[in-house]
Amino acid sequence: MKAYLGIDLGSVSTNFFVMGQDEEVLVNIYLRTQGNPIKAVRTGLARTQDELPPGVTIAGVGTTGSGRQLAGIIVGADTIKNEITAHGVAATSLVPTVRTVLEIGGQDSKIIILRDGIVTDFAMNTVCAAGTGSFLDRQAERLGLPIDQFGQLAVRSSNPVRIAGRCAVFAESDMIHKQQLGHPMEDITRGLCQALVRNYLNNVAKGKAIEPPILFQGGVAANAGMKVAFEEALGIEVLVPKYFAVMGALGAAQLAQRQVSNGAETRFRGFEVSNWDFHVSSRHCHGCSNCCEIVEIEAGEKSLACWGDRCGRWSEQNPAQIA
Amino acid sequence: MKVTFPHMGYLYVPLRAFFSQLGIEVVVPPPISQDTINLGTRYSPEFACLPLKINIGNFLQAAELGADTVVMAGGIGPCRFGYYAQVQKEILADLGIHLDMIVLEPPQGHWRQLFRGLKSLAANAGPVTVYRAGALAWAKLKVLDKLAKNQFVIRAREKVRGSTTQTWRIILDLVDQADSVQAVYIAAEQGQKLFDRIVLEPHRDVLKVGLVGEIYTLLEPAVNLEIERLLGEMGVEVVQSVYLSNWVMTNLVLHTFHLRNDGEHYQLAAPYLGSFVGGHGLETISTTIFYARSGLDGVIHLAPLTCMPEIVAKSILPQVSVDEDIPVLTFMLDEHSAEAGIQTRLEAFYELLKTRKQRGHKNNIKQIKNESTILGRKSIIESLSWH
C-alpha cells in the first residue's frame, strides 16, 4: 500500500505523520526537538519505520516547520512548504468549512483566515513570544506543575486573577506578585491563560475577521485552559481537532500526496537515512560586501545542500524543490 | 571638501555624478552591511526609525574613509524625517566626529535655505557647471529607474536563478562610470542588451505583486532584506510604487510650481483617509486601491517600525483589502527583522495568491490577457527610448 509521510520540524517539537492513500492515519509521532533537529529527524524516522504496518511503502514526503529545509534535505522531500500553508491544508481536510485557524506552537503563533477552503489572510507573531508554548512550559515549570495539568487546573478556577499579558517578562513578574499575595494556583493559571489569549487577539489576530468554525491547533491546544479562555474572549465555540499537535505534519503529508499525484517518483531517500551521519557547517562567504553566512549540510563526505547566500553562488546547485 | 551622503538604493550613482561634476571630492559610504547597522543602532535612540540609524552608520563609515562633510536632505511635514539632519548633527557632535552637515531643505517655502545649502557646496561653480552636474545626475537616475523596472519583469521569468541580479550589478557599474549625458545613454543601451541576453521562460505563470509603503524601506534592499529579489526569484513580478525620478519630479519640481498631476490618484484614498498624514501614508492607501483595480494579485506594504504615517496606513489597509478584494501583507522592519520569519510569510503569501489565482479569481481574466501580450520578448520590456 502507498502512504505519504509528513514531517513538521519545529523549534520545540518534531512531528511525524503517515497517511495512507485514503487519508487513514498510520503513524502519528510527537517528539521534542530539544535543540537537535537532525537527531530528532533521525529518531523520528526510525520510530516511524517501526510503527509502520507491514507492506506499506512511502510514495511521497513533505516537510514543514521552521526546520523544513533541513528536514527536507535529510529525508529527500518531494515538497517543502511553509507552516502556514501546511496548517491551512490540514485544517480544511478535517473541517472543510473552517473559517479560522488559531495555531500556537513552541515559538510562534499564527492566525489563518480561510474562506471556501482557501487561505485568504494570515498573520504570525512578530515581536513577542508571549503566549507560545515555550512560555507556558516555563511558567508551568516555575509553578512546579506538569504541563498537562496546567490546563486542567485553570479550568477549575471560578475567580481568575488579572495578569498583565503585554510582555512575557512582565507577565511573569505580575504572576509572581499575585502568587506572593496568596492567590490560589488555579486562579493564577486561569488568569495567565486569559492574559495570553488577550495578547494573541490584540497582536497576532489584530484586524482579522474571526468567524466560526474555529479550529485551535498546535501544541498549546492541549491546554484546556487556553481553549476555554479563547471561547470566553470570542464568545464562539472553539474546536480542538484530534491531531491538534501534529497538524503541520498532517498538512505536509497531504501536500506530499498532491505533489506526487501526477505519478512522479518520490525523492525519499529511504528509512536508512536514520543511520546516516549528517554534518552541518557554517562559514562566512567573502565574495562581496554582504558577507552572507553560508550553511552547508553534508552526509558523510557528500555535500547535500547550501543555503544562506543572497546571490545564489552556493545555493545554485541545490535540488529544485528547495526554495 | 570631501562630501558624503546617506545610502538609499542606487541613489549613490546620481549623487556621485552630481558632486563630482561640481568638482567636489566624493566619499561614497561602503554598501550597507551588518557592520553599518550595528554602528548605527549603537549610537542612535532606540525608538528612532531604522533609516535614521542606518544613516548614522553610513556617516560614521564614510568619516572613517576621510569624509568631512555630509549632505543630507531636510524635510517638512508630520514625518520625523524632517528633523533627522538636526538629530544626526547632535549625535555626531556627541561622538566627537567632526563632520560638517549641509542640509538641503525641500524647495516648498524654503527657497532661500535650499539656495544657501547649494551655495555652500558649489561656491566656485558657475551656473553652467551646476546645470551640467544636475543634467548628468538626472540622466543617470532616469535610466536606472527605467532599467530597474525592466529588471522586475525579467527576474520573475529568468531561467537561471540569480542571472538577473548579476546583470543588474554590472549595469549599475556601467551607469556609475558614465561621465557625460551621452555616455549615460550608451551605458543604458548596453545594459538593456545585457538584460536581453538573459534566458527567459516566457510562459511561466507569473504573479504580480505591488510594493507600497515608506520610500526608504522600498528603495533600500539592505533594509527590506532584498524583498524584490526574493519575490522575483519565487516567480513574482514586482511592481514598485516609488521611483526616485518620479518622486523628485512630482514632489520637488511640479509641487513647487503648483503643477502636480497626481490629485486624481490621491482621490482614490478619500473614502478612508481625507488628508496628508506625512511620509507616504496617503500614497500607500491610494496606490493599494489603484493596484487592486489594475488587476494585481496582491500588495506588500513595507515600513520601518514606529513609522507614524505608515502605522496610520496599516490600520486602514485591512478594510481596503476587504473592500477592494486584494490580499495585503505588511512588514514593519527594523534591525531585529528576522530573515527566516520574512521568508516564511512571503512563501505563505505566495501560496495564498497562487491558490486564489488558480481558483479563477476575478483578476484571472486580466492576468491571462497580460500573459498573451508578453509572449514575445519585445513586448515584455517596455520599448526603450532614453531621450
Side-chain angles (χ1 to χ4, degrees):
Chain A
M1 190 181 70
K2 281 184 180 174
Y4 305 92
L5 168 64
I7 304 174
D8 180 355
L9 178 49
S11 56
V12 170
S13 74
T14 303
N15 311 319
F16 288 74
F17 196 92
V18 181
M19 176 187 86
Q21 244 162 338
D22 303 310
E23 307 204 337
E24 65 273 31
V25 180
L26 302 175
V27 177
N28 158 28
I29 299 171
Y30 179 95
L31 291 173
R32 290 263 168 173
T33 311
Q34 290 177 320
N36 192 339
I38 295 180
K39 189 173 153 221
V41 171
R42 287 170 53 179
T43 313
L45 270 183
R47 270 186 56 187
T48 305
Q49 188 179 18
D50 289 345
E51 290 183 21
L52 213 56
V56 175
T57 52
I58 299 295
V61 181
T63 62
T64 186
S66 50
R68 58 187 178 279
Q69 304 282 9
L70 184 66
I73 303 276
I74 293 177
V75 298
D78 298 295
T79 176
I80 298 177
K81 276 279 150 70
N82 65 85
E83 47 272 43
I84 293 161
T85 305
H87 275 281
V89 165
T92 31
S93 74
L94 295 183
V95 183
T97 56
V98 63
R99 290 168 79 80
T100 310
V101 175
L102 314 171
E103 200 274 341
I104 306 188
Q107 300 239 305
D108 63 35
S109 45
K110 38 193 161 294
I111 182 165
I112 308 171
I113 305 293
L114 302 104
R115 298 291 181 260
D116 306 321
I118 68 164
V119 177
T120 58
D121 197 6
F122 65 85
M124 265 172 102
N125 60 331
T126 45
V127 286
C128 176
T132 60
S134 307
F135 178 66
L136 279 172
D137 257 1
R138 197 181 129 63
Q139 296 320 318
E141 197 183 313
R142 228 186 51 77
L143 294 168
L145 281 171
I147 185 72
D148 44 332
Q149 283 174 30
F150 189 98
Q152 298 309 322
L153 198 63
V155 174
R156 258 186 269 144
S157 156
S158 55
N159 186 28
V161 296
R162 174 112 186 156
I163 290 173
R166 168 142 340 260
C167 158
V169 175
F170 294 151
E172 181 171 323
S173 47
D174 204 24
M175 199 176 78
I176 293 170
H177 172 65
K178 295 283 154 57
Q179 258 182 306
Q180 310 294 55
L181 289 177
H183 285 285
M185 185 93 93
E186 64 252 36
D187 291 346
I188 293 174
T189 51
R190 177 72 170 264
L192 189 63
C193 290
Q194 289 178 341
L196 299 187
V197 164
R198 265 200 313 276
N199 179 303
Y200 177 92
L201 294 177
N202 286 331
N203 290 309
V204 183
K206 185 127 203 152
K208 306 287 178 223
I210 301 177
E211 291 174 15
I214 302 174
L215 283 189
F216 179 22
Q217 51 200 46
V220 172
N223 189 319
M226 289 294 284
K227 171 177 153 30
V228 172
F230 267 122
E231 287 179 334
E232 268 176 1
L234 296 169
I236 313 173
E237 194 195 355
V238 170
L239 309 165
V240 177
K242 187 174 171 196
Y243 300 105
F244 64 88
V246 295
M247 289 294 270
L250 194 162
Q254 291 190 325
L255 287 164
Q257 185 179 20
R258 281 185 208 172
Q259 183 71 25
V260 297
S261 62
N262 56 0
E265 193 72 24
T266 180
R267 295 167 194 257
F268 183 44
R269 297 185 204 270
F271 284 107
E272 61 269 23
V273 165
S274 61
N275 300 317
W276 285 16
D277 190 22
F278 291 98
H279 177 68
V280 179
S281 60
S282 84
R283 61 176 185 276
H284 283 270
C285 168
H286 294 290
C288 73
S289 66
N290 283 333
C291 298
C292 300
E293 257 174 50
I294 312 296
V295 177
E296 182 169 22
I297 173 160
E298 294 167 318
E301 292 292 294
K302 190 170 164 262
S303 170
L304 298 179
C306 284
W307 56 80
D309 55 340
R310 291 186 171 179
C311 66
R313 176 172 166 193
W314 304 96
S315 57
E316 233 166 32
Q317 309 300 325
N318 287 348
Q321 78 275 32
I322 304 163
Chain B
M1 182 161 40
K2 285 187 182 174
V3 160
T4 190
F5 43 79
H7 267 299
M8 181 164 82
Y10 46 76
L11 178 64
Y12 72 93
V13 175
L15 286 186
R16 191 207 308 263
F18 182 71
F19 295 126
S20 309
Q21 288 288 306
L22 291 181
I24 302 168
E25 204 176 327
V26 179
V27 179
V28 177
I32 299 170
S33 62
Q34 196 53 49
D35 287 345
T36 319
I37 299 174
N38 291 347
L39 262 179
T41 45
R42 186 167 163 192
Y43 298 114
S44 307
E46 165 154 29
F47 278 88
C49 57
L50 192 57
L52 180 131
K53 300 178 186 178
I54 294 183
N55 287 173
I56 290 285
N58 286 153
F59 299 157
L60 293 175
Q61 286 184 321
E64 246 171 67
L65 297 178
D68 55 23
T69 306
V70 171
V71 176
M72 179 69 191
I76 46 173
C79 167
R80 286 183 282 178
F81 181 78
Y83 58 78
Y84 263 23
Q86 312 304 327
V87 173
Q88 288 165 343
K89 214 184 217 172
E90 295 293 324
I91 292 174
L92 292 172
D94 284 351
L95 288 173
I97 304 229
H98 298 291
L99 282 172
D100 286 329
M101 195 166 279
I102 296 177
V103 184
L104 300 181
E105 294 291 344
Q108 297 94 308
H110 292 267
W111 274 114
R112 222 170 283 159
Q113 284 176 39
L114 176 65
F115 185 73
R116 215 181 297 150
L118 283 174
K119 206 175 161 205
S120 56
L121 268 172
N124 305 321
V128 177
T129 318
V130 175
Y131 173 79
R132 282 208 182 128
L136 180 63
W138 181 246
K140 289 194 177 193
L141 186 59
K142 244 176 40 186
V143 301
L144 283 179
D145 279 353
K146 194 152 201 172
L147 287 162
K149 215 179 214 173
N150 290 343
Q151 173 202 198
F152 300 137
V153 182
I154 297 168
R155 189 182 282 115
R157 296 170 175 83
E158 68 188 6
K159 199 159 197 169
V160 182
R161 196 166 76 94
S163 49
T164 311
T165 306
Q166 269 173 7
T167 309
W168 174 242
R169 292 209 181 103
I170 299 171
I171 292 176
L172 279 178
D173 287 343
L174 280 175
V175 177
D176 194 20
Q177 281 152 19
D179 55 4
S180 69
V181 174
Q182 193 60 30
V184 171
Y185 292 134
I186 294 170
E189 267 159 39
Q190 257 179 312
Q192 186 55 45
K193 276 190 195 128
L194 290 176
F195 269 158
D196 289 341
R197 248 186 260 157
I198 295 173
V199 188
L200 300 185
E201 283 180 22
H203 297 279
R204 188 179 290 169
D205 194 15
V206 165
L207 294 171
K208 275 192 174 184
V209 171
L211 286 187
V212 302
E214 188 273 332
I215 186 167
Y216 186 81
T217 40
L218 285 177
L219 295 184
E220 179 48 63
V223 168
N224 61 35
L225 304 168
E226 307 202 1
I227 196 164
E228 292 164 341
R229 181 181 63 79
L230 289 176
L231 285 169
E233 288 174 359
M234 284 173 160
V236 173
E237 184 182 325
V238 171
V239 180
Q240 173 66 275
S241 61
V242 177
Y243 288 97
L244 211 55
S245 56
N246 291 346
W247 187 86
V248 169
M249 190 44 105
T250 312
N251 291 278
L252 297 185
V253 182
L254 296 180
H255 187 100
T256 309
F257 298 109
H258 304 284
L259 290 171
R260 278 183 92 121
N261 51 4
D262 51 355
E264 217 170 289
H265 189 71
Y266 283 111
Q267 277 305 309
L268 290 174
Y272 306 93
L273 188 60
S275 62
F276 179 65
V277 290
H280 300 258
L282 191 57
E283 276 108 319
T284 296
I285 304 294
S286 57
T287 311
T288 302
I289 298 169
F290 177 74
Y291 284 165
R293 294 185 187 169
S294 0
L296 261 58
D297 296 294
V299 166
I300 293 179
H301 172 217
L302 297 178
L305 193 70
T306 75
C307 170
M308 186 277 292
E310 297 303 332
I311 289 172
V312 174
K314 183 179 182 245
S315 56
I316 295 172
L317 281 176
Q319 193 56 46
V320 176
S321 166
V322 172
D323 294 350
E324 298 289 334
D325 196 18
I326 187 161
V328 178
L329 179 66
T330 297
F331 288 115
M332 289 280 179
L333 301 156
D334 74 353
E335 67 271 22
H336 302 295
S337 300
E339 213 159 334
I342 289 188
Q343 181 75 33
T344 300
R345 287 171 182 78
L346 281 182
E347 282 177 26
F349 195 61
Y350 176 80
E351 294 291 332
L352 183 165
L353 299 181
K354 207 171 80 179
T355 321
R356 258 170 75 97
K357 199 175 165 187
Q358 281 164 354
R359 287 279 177 104
H361 191 262
K362 70 172 168 83
N363 291 347
N364 218 354
I365 307 152
K366 288 178 191 162
Q367 281 296 329
I368 290 167
K369 226 163 142 191
N370 283 345
E371 299 281 303
S372 65
T373 57
I374 56 170
L375 297 183
R377 178 189 282 275
K378 270 262 166 61
S379 49
I380 294 189
I381 300 151
E382 242 180 277
S383 59
L384 300 166
S385 75
W386 303 107
H387 306 274

